[in-house]
């Protein structure tokens, strides 16, 4: 059984930073890509960042220059470094792992507020 466990969310002031982690365990197989999504209250889930098996990255325009996605293949872990956080970054952040199937984590809450 594949499991994704996210951590690192919390409450932070505008301009602050957080680092999210998502660790995968179980019979994973070959990972194609890993992604971070977020869902703000009353809004649809949106793709924030993704990283391919080769290390290529892509970001939503709203987070470019502020967020950095990275992965540790040996640990089957993906990270999201979030800097210069804004109130509009508030939401539940989910990681997704794409192999032959897709797996989602349970989500971690990020709240940016003064």
């Amino acid at each position: 059984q594949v499991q994704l466990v996210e951590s690192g969310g919390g409450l932070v002031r505008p301009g602050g930073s957080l680092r999210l982690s998502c660790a995968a365990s179980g019979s994973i197989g070959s990972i194609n890509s890993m992604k971070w999504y977020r869902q703000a209250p009353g809004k649809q889930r949106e793709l924030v960042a993704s990283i391919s098996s080769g290390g290529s990255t892509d970001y939503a325009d709203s987070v470019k220059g502020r967020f950095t996605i990275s992965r540790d293949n040996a640990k089957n872990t993906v990270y999201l470094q979030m800097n210069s956080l804004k109130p509009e970054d508030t939401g539940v952040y989910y990681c997704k792992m794409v192999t032959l199937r897709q797996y989602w984590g349970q989500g971690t809450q990020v709240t940016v507020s003064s």
Side-chain angles (χ1 to χ4, degrees):
Q1 191 77 354
V2 174
Q3 187 176 20
L4 299 181
V5 178
E6 297 129 336
S7 60
L11 173 64
V12 64
R13 294 180 182 271
S17 298
L18 283 174
R19 188 191 193 212
L20 305 182
S21 299
C22 174
S25 61
S27 300
I28 297 169
S30 178
I31 300 174
N32 182 359
S33 63
M34 298 189 79
K35 305 173 187 289
W36 285 99
Y37 289 74
R38 69 185 178 192
Q39 187 166 19
K43 295 187 177 181
Q44 290 189 334
R45 193 172 297 189
E46 63 172 346
L47 178 62
V48 175
S50 62
I51 185 166
S52 71
S53 57
S56 297
T57 59
D58 196 18
Y59 299 92
D61 287 342
S62 59
V63 306
K64 281 181 180 177
R66 300 188 297 121
F67 290 12
T68 302
I69 187 171
S70 61
R71 63 191 286 178
D72 184 333
N73 292 331
K75 296 181 179 180
N76 290 324
T77 300
V78 63
Y79 305 96
L80 187 66
Q81 178 66 44
M82 306 186 294
N83 299 328
S84 302
L85 283 161
K86 304 175 181 180
E88 51 263 44
D89 294 318
T90 294
V92 179
Y93 283 70
Y94 299 89
C95 70
K96 183 172 81 171
M97 182 175 68
V98 180
T99 61
L100 293 178
R101 299 178 61 183
Q102 298 182 12
Y103 302 93
W104 289 89
Q106 81 287 353
T108 184
Q109 177 70 45
V110 172
T111 302
V112 185
S113 175
S114 56

